[in-house]
Structure formats: structure tokens, C-alpha cells
Amino acid sequence: MQAGIIVFPGINRERDIAMALEGSLGRRPRMIWHRETDLAGVDLVVIPGGFSYGDYLRCGAMAAQSPVMRAVSAHAARGGYVLGVCNGFQILTEAQMLPGALLRNAGLRFLSMDCHLRVERADTVFSGQYQRGQVFRAPMAHGDGNYFADADTLDRLEGEGLVAFRYVDASGAVSGAANLNGSARNIAGVLSANLRVLGLMPHPENLVDPLMGGVDGKPLFDSLAAIGVA
Amino acid sequence: MDQLVDAALGRSFGLSGEEYDRVLAIMGRTPSLTELGIFSVMWSEHCSYKSSRVWLKTLPTSAPWVIHGPGENAGVVDIGEGLAAIFKMESHNHPSFIEPFQGAATGVGGILRDVFTMGARPIANLNALRFGDPSLAVTKRVVDGVVRGIGGYGNCVGVPTVGGETNFHRSYNGNPLVNAMTVGIAAQDRIFLSAAAGIGNPVVYVGSKTGRDGIHGATMASSEFAADSEEKRPTVQVGDPFIEKLLIEACLELMATDAIVAIQDMGAAGLTSSSVEMAGKGGVGIELDLDAVPQREAGMTAYEMMLSESQERMLIVIDPAREDMARAIFEKWELDFAVIGHITDTGRIVVKHRGVVEADIALDPLAEQAPLYERPYTEAAKPAALGDVDDPVGIGPALLRLIGCPDLASRRWIWDQYDGTVGGQTVKRPGQADAAVVKIPGSARALALTTDCTPRYCAADPEAGGAQAVVEAWRNITATGGVPLAVTDNLNFGNPEKPLIMGQIVAAIRGMGAACTALDFPVVSGNVSLYNETEGSGILPTPAIGGLGVIADAAQAVGIALAPGLDLVVVGATRGELGQSLWLREVLGREDGAPPALDFAVERRNGEFVRGLIIDGVVTACHDVSDGGLLVAVAEMVLAGDVGAALSLAPEGTAPKVGAHGFWFGEDQARYVLAVVDGAAVMQAAQGAGVPAVMLGRSGGDRLTLHDGTAISVAEMRTAHEHFFARWFA
């Protein structure tokens, strides 16, 4: 599994996710500058967190128009794997590779704390090393993580099993108190119809080392290591 | 601009009549407007340290591990493995009152540049904040804006904000303090300095374009506020963290090559201070052609360009053979790159604009004849010791009041708005340990980082307060297992032209120096912010200390969170000193008495004993005893671990005999609470080391209980602790 990390100007968690990927995949990911358009040899495209182009327009809106995103879209259309975290999730929705949008947090403040996520399905390439219903901790750090989609879209996502993770309390219960950014139906992560594109707001890559407070995020990267290359 | 240049204009630029006469003598003629502008900012308090320099020189600044002390953009210390930690703290106080969001944001941006300009990748930000009375609407506005500003900038550039401190006091009503600290890591053989060299070498401007923002910001930072301070809003700069992020990456990419001869950020006084200081340090001259400066607005004059404090700009003296390669790096990052001048052998700064020489000043007299004042000072008498005081409320109610008061309430609301995990190296986040612990990428080592000052101690006794700030930073690093290496200081005071204020400065520096010397904890960088007064009323003297220590193995670092089933041991003697304590202020409404006594030898002995236990792996949790005293320290450990504790020790049984309130809330120094598996063994070790220690009790359950039957549930404590900010910003 060769991972490639897209580096837009203003991205700031590219090194974090590179460490997490290398730790699980045993191979250093390729850093792909945003002006490149050749993704040949890359099995998994990762769009990391940060503030692409400063996020001075809608978060992710500028990056979504970048030439490399046409290549990412083509990669996904070929059945390639794509993971977007935080700003990466925002970019994937702006590029319409995932449904919905990420709005300003309900409390209108940046939120930086650990949240609990519930694994809604464990049969994807991103979650195979978790159990369905398992609750794990992940740091979040965003100002615009309030997932929004219209009711029909949300119903479709739920019906087709495309909700990857939900914000829950430590016991796994979906609650308003656990849904700090106000996301529709506590949705923290969404999958594409072919289950090969995942966007999520929290940062499992920042919890892959006991020294940093735990390894709750590591199974996500181990899951990617466990699959064969498509 | 045909403005008449005279002493009156000099005064409006902040130059005294005598200083203006000195300008005339150096120039031998009436200076141009641009020249007067250059003199006025270079000779401002902010840039010249003219009131504090004679005293700053008395601080200890060297140790075998100090690579660069004060005088560079930031301090540099050896942290082993060929690596260096580069760090500094700097104030952005005045702008943060006028425009809290941008004032705080650009404070973060400025201190980041001071660190990465030396070749370091920034790995941590901290901040020391002081705000006014929380019951005032203006305080709420300032707190909200400052916190959003720090977060808005730090979160975007991707440097984790991992620690700091926040105090409230009415003396900061019109003068909040925003002191920002950045820590970076560089290879010891890849450190970049600012002394220009190489006659004919190009001078390159990179980063953002120059606009009219922040003109005379350094001068504003060197005067008191009056009622018209709102009108000074145009002197506040506007930050762009996205550009800063690009600038960090582009500079670090360029620094991996051998293209850079010298580099400095354009901070206070912008192009003026960077060009003057770089040429001055190198003993060369510099010629600038302002037509080549990237400009955001049309029609800017030489005066405006030289004094602009537009953010996110750097000045680089470059190897001409590497110019094309350097240009390509900045073009890749879509940043301006312009050759705006060259190094000369004239010893002068010459500024040309549209074919006209707008400034031509000899650099040596500009620096050497800069004003240096030995201002008259008066030291206030030492405060009388606090006599006996009765406890009118009882221990339990006082504890709940203390852990809920603005100075001790949970700061969760603040740090929840700062990205503390970006970088993936944060071992101890805010609230988890006495100092933030950040691992060094690619190494087992970690840095322990803290900011400390107890302004009420400094107000009562500036010498003791200055010393205590240093000692507490040392202790906080020690309590994580770190070896304290060096400090950066940020000296915030009122108007130095008042002898009593000047006396505070002199005494605080004396106290700091004594503590730094005694603890081998030298000052390697710093910043002075004076004139923190509004309409004649000054702040509490606030010499904030940023401390840095190293932990050889990050896995050895300990935090404050209790686990169940551990023995609790207090290291250090308890005499029950309530003078200037938070208990005295919050329970009795009094701010008097002498601050707790300091004994550097005892600090060192107790601290080294505790650090040894931590490195030996004996300690599960450790917390130093500071604001609020022993019971507050235990309560903070209980809250961090969500585990109760039974404190069986009876104050009556301790010697010397103190009242229960003195025992539990006295702020005696040199103390730590340890949570350990085998308390008896620790007691025995303490006895062997000649360190006073007592068994306090045991952790467990969901309540904090005292020997007299007092019991408070952890839930009740948490409500009290979390209430203040939650309600304020509900």
C-alpha cells in the first residue's frame, strides 16, 4: 500500500498523518505538492488537516478547485482509496466527492479536545481493525466541523450505511452533549457509495502513540495496512 | 510629504527635546522626515530598552549549555543530540487592548518569526495573559478577542499552543498583558544569525507586501494610554497566519541550503529595525531602494515604508550565487521575493526612493549614541509580615471558593480553543502537568515548558516576586521530571519615569537575577514592555518568566493526575504562610502581608530530590504547591485524575504548629505533592536526603476528605472549578 499525501499551501497536519501512516504501513508516504497531477503508483490518497489557502473563503473551497483535485477525483473514480481528515474532509465535500458540507461549529468557537467516536461499520478498508459499535477517542481541532446535509441526503446516507463514525459519549450513546460541533445526526465521518472514500473531522493520526495519550486512532491506519492493494 | 521637521514633530514621534538635539548633533543638519522616523523608532523604549538596559545587563546569561544568549532574535540552548532549543517570549500588550483579536494574533505571529528566523521549526507556543476585573464588560471583550486571536493565528500556522497562564486583577483593566512565547528546534550547526556580511551581497525582502499598517507601532508601545487610545487602532497590525505558514515552510526550505548569509524578521519598526540591526551587527553599511519593495498600496512614501509594521515579512542577506535558487523557493510558496538593496562598506544606512535619497544615517552613532537612562528610582519599603488571621469560613467552603475564583478556576474554556495536538508530539497537554511536555520529533527527548509569574507577590515585594517567578518556573519544570535549562523573560511594568515604578523594575530584576544564578537557570532572551499605564494608573509589576527544561526520555515525564490507591507525600516544609495568599484575598478580601519566603538552596535541594524520584520511575503524579496552597494543589490533582483522596494528616500534628487554614492554604514555597506507590519508601528517602516530607494521605474514591471529617465530592469540586468561564461565556 503506497500512500500519497496531498500538500496544499496552509495544510499543517501532513507530518502528523505521515507518521501515523508510516507507523502502520511500514512505508513512508509520498508527499504530493498541490501542483502535481500525476498520482501514478499511489494506492491511497490522503488529504490532511490544516487551513488550505488560509480557509479565507469557505473551508476547503479553494483547494477543491486545485488541479490536483481533478487527479484525486479521477483516482477515486477508478476505485482508488481516498482519506480526507478535517480540512481534507472539507475539501472532499467542496469537491463534491462526498455529500454534505461542514459548517461553522454550532458554538461559533474553535474546538480542540478529545471526542469519542463510535464505529458505525467495521467492514471498510478504513475500519477493519475496529469492531462495529466500538468507541474510540480522537482529538479534534476545528472551527468548521458541523456536518450538514439535507434530510433526504442524510436518510440516504443512513439507509446505505455510509455514515462511518458518530460523535458519542464515552459509553457509546449518541447524545447532544457529545455532539460538540452540532453535526447533523452526530455524524463525524462519511463514506462514498463504494466505501473507498472516507472523510472525517477528528484526528485519529494524533492518537497513535501511548506517549501522546493513547493509541485509539492506530487501528484506522492498521486497517489500511491490512488490506491488499486494489 | 513636505512636513516641517522640528523638535515638536520629534515630540509627537516620542523623542524628548534632548533626544531630538542628539539627532541634530549626529546628523549635523535637520533630519528628513524619514530620518526622524528612523531615529524615533530605533530610540523608542520598545527597540532601545533605554530605561531597562543598564539593569538587564546584570542578569546572568551564560551557562555551558547556552549557545546564544540575549542579543539575537531569540535565545538558543543545547538540548543534547546535536539539537538546540530556540525560544523567546514577547509582549503585545498595547495592541491587544486597542484591538484584542489582531493584537494577540500578531503577537503570536511576531514571536514565531523571532524563532524560525534563526532556523528552528516552531514546535510549541505558550502565552502568559493578564486581564482586568472580570465583572467589567470590557474585560470580557478583551478576553474573548485575545483568546480568539491567539487561537486564530496559532491554530492556522499549525504550531500547538500547549501552555500558559492567566490572571485577573483590576490593575489590568486598561492594560491587559499578552505575552506570547514560541519554542523551536534546530540542529546546532544550522542556526542562522542576523549580522549582515559580504559587501555587495543582495538584501532580499520576502513575505507579505508592505502596507500602511502599524506605522509607529513601536512608539505606541512606548507610551502610556490616554482616553484617546481607541484612536490608535490604525497603529495595530493585521495578521495573516496563512502567509506566516508559507513563510515558515519557505524559510526552512531555504535554510536547508547554504544561501543565507544573515536573516532577520521585520518585527517592531519593520524595515527600519531589521535593516539597521543587521547592518549594525555586521559592522557594514546597507543601501535600500524602496522602489523595489513589494507594496500593497499605491503612493506610499519612504517614511511610511520604513516605519510600516506590516506582518509576515523577513529580510535576508543572500549569497548572490544562490539568488535564483532562493527565488525559486519563494515563488513555489507564492510569496514575494524582491532584491531591495545591497550591503555596502559605508557604515551607513542609505534609503533611496524614486531617485531621491530619503535617508542617509551613520549606523554607529544611531546605535551607540542611543539614549541610555539610569532613571532615578525609589524602592518601596518591604511589606510587614502578615500577623495572625482567623478563618471565618472553614476549610471546605474556602477550598470551593478558591478553586472557583477567577485566578484558579479551570482554564479549559481557553485551551479548548487552542489546537494543542497538531504536530503529534504533545506528551502533556494544558492542565495535565505543571509544565507542558512536547516531544522532540525524531528523538526520545522532550521539552518541559512553562510560563510563570505571581504579580501580587511582585507588587508587595518586587524583588521577592521577581525571584519567585523564576523559582516557580524552575519548580514547574522539575515537577514533570525536566531539568531546567534557561528562561526567557517578559518584563511588564508601568511608567519608568516614575521613581517607584523604576524601583519595581530594579528590584524585580535583582530578584530574578539572584534566583537565576542560584538555580543555574540563565536568561537567554527577553522583552521589556513599559508604560503599561492608563491615565496614570499602572499595572501590577509583572515580570513573566518562560522556562524551558529537557527530559532525556519523554516516557519519564509525569503529570498531575491522581490514580487510585497511591500514597500522597508532601515534600517541603509547611509553615503556613498566608501573606499575599489567594486565601487571604478570596476569603478575607485582603491583599497584604509579605509574600512567602524563598530559600534558593532549599528549592534546589527539594527539587532535585523530587526530580530524582521521577527519573527513577517512583512517582506516578507530581504537582508543585503554588497559588492557593497545599489543599488547592491536591484538589487540582483530584480533578485532573477524577479520583478522590483521603487526607489523614492532621495539621495539628505538624511542626511548627500552624492553624488549619495556614496549613492547607499557605503558599510556602519549595513544596511538591507526590503520588507514589510506596509512600514509606519515599519518606525514608527524603529523610536520607535531608528533605522535609510528610505523609498526607491516600488517593481513591470519589471524595476529598480531611482528617476532621470534612468531605467534598469530586463532582462538587468540578462544578466549582468549571463554573467561572462556563458561566461568563455561556
Side-chain angles (χ1 to χ4, degrees), chain B residues 2 30 95-96 103 143 167 171 180 284 433 497 567 576 613 653 664:
Chain B
D2 287 328
T30 302
S96 297
V143 170
N167 289 145
S171 77
V284 294
E497 295 164 43
D567 288 334
L613 293 177
W664 291 121

Side-chain angles (χ1 to χ4, degrees), chain A residues 9 36 53:
Chain A
E36 291 181 41
Y53 299 95

